[in-house]
Amino acid sequence: MSLSFKPVSAAFARRSAKVVARDLLGRLIVRTPNDSRPAERIVARIIETEAYLGAPDRASHAWNNRRTPRNASLYLPGGHWYVYFIYGMHFCVNLVAGEAETGGAALIRAAEIVEGADIAVRRRGLSAAPRSGDLAGGPGKLCKALAIDRAMDGLAVHDSRLWLAMGQRVKDADVATGPRIGVGYARQAATWPLRFAIAGHPEMSRPRL
DNA sequence: CGGAAGATCCACT
DNA sequence: GTGGATCTTCCGA
């Protein structure tokens, strides 16, 4: 497989959250923690995402145009990172999608580490590489493996510390869809098929599609 | 102002 | 399968 390290265009994230979430599969997150140690680079291929649609979506942090200190960056123009802290323990990373003030975003739920796995293992606090799926197979694990935290919240998607490369688009035939995880409280919105994953990939979070 | 629940993960049974 | 960790936000008193 040939993976392109060309940065995504400015237009990539200016589309709807649903289209962006689908198109993120197969793209690459490139994390370069600091410029003085370029060897610390980690590259992760996106395996699983979810779309959150903003004001009309009861599962979205932007439901009914809610605004809090935590979700401020969710209202930036498409093409910024929205990183939030959840359950008092974990971070989750989203790509803000669509026009400014609309609150759409794509949550990145799982990725396959394609470069820097040893660094990711260390960041996770593990002594050895876990079995497939346990290194970045979940939104909290992904952020820990890539050292993504509050400092990344609100950065532009082409920031040198955390940016998106084209990788390789995944064919429709290889995409599985289903309802989103952990949003049972969202009534009708909980049934919307806004979860996307590369079918059968071992890094997919549970429950598998 | 207190309690509850959350776009989660891990240890334990 | 269940519960704990413990930040952020919501809701009812």
Side-chain angles (χ1 to χ4, degrees):
Chain A
M1 182 190 311
S2 69
L3 295 175
S4 166
F5 277 79
K6 179 183 174 186
V8 299
S9 71
F12 184 93
R14 293 287 182 110
R15 300 172 293 168
S16 73
K18 181 175 181 178
V19 169
V20 170
R22 156 65 182 87
D23 201 14
L24 275 173
L25 297 178
R27 309 306 185 181
L28 306 176
I29 306 173
V30 185
R31 174 78 169 109
T32 308
N34 68 67
D35 295 333
S36 61
R37 290 202 287 175
E40 295 275 291
R41 186 172 88 160
I42 301 180
V43 179
R45 178 173 175 249
I46 297 172
I47 296 307
E48 179 185 350
T49 63
E50 285 175 354
Y52 288 83
L53 307 186
D57 180 1
R58 213 167 177 107
S60 170
H61 289 172
W63 175 63
N64 202 22
N65 288 307
R66 283 165 62 178
R67 287 177 191 265
T68 68
R70 180 175 73 155
N71 73 8
S73 59
L74 188 48
Y75 292 93
L76 292 169
H80 290 81
W81 300 113
Y82 166 49
V83 180
Y84 67 89
F85 194 51
I86 189 70
Y87 296 120
M89 298 275 305
H90 304 292
F91 292 98
C92 295
V93 62
N94 297 247
L95 179 60
V96 178
E99 298 304 310
E101 304 299 318
T102 54
L107 169 69
I108 302 173
R109 286 191 59 85
E112 169 189 2
I113 309 293
V114 297
E115 182 183 313
D118 53 333
I119 302 166
V121 167
R122 194 173 73 232
R123 293 251 168 71
R124 285 286 314 283
L126 306 170
S127 53
R131 74 171 190 279
S132 186
D134 284 353
L135 188 51
K141 288 188 278 191
L142 171 66
C143 284
K144 191 164 184 187
L146 270 60
I148 296 172
D149 60 20
R150 254 183 267 273
M152 309 285 103
D153 184 41
L155 294 184
V157 72
H158 50 74
D159 189 283
S160 65
R161 289 162 287 179
L162 186 66
W163 57 281
L164 257 189
M166 290 296 282
Q168 185 174 64
R169 183 182 163 87
V170 173
K171 299 192 306 278
D172 284 346
D174 295 326
V175 176
T177 64
R180 295 171 292 182
I181 301 300
V183 298
Y185 60 88
R187 304 210 237 172
Q188 180 65 28
T191 68
W192 298 346
L194 295 178
R195 182 184 181 206
F196 304 92
I198 297 178
H201 197 287
E203 296 276 345
M204 193 189 308
S205 64
R206 259 61 61 177
R208 293 236 157 86
L209 281 170

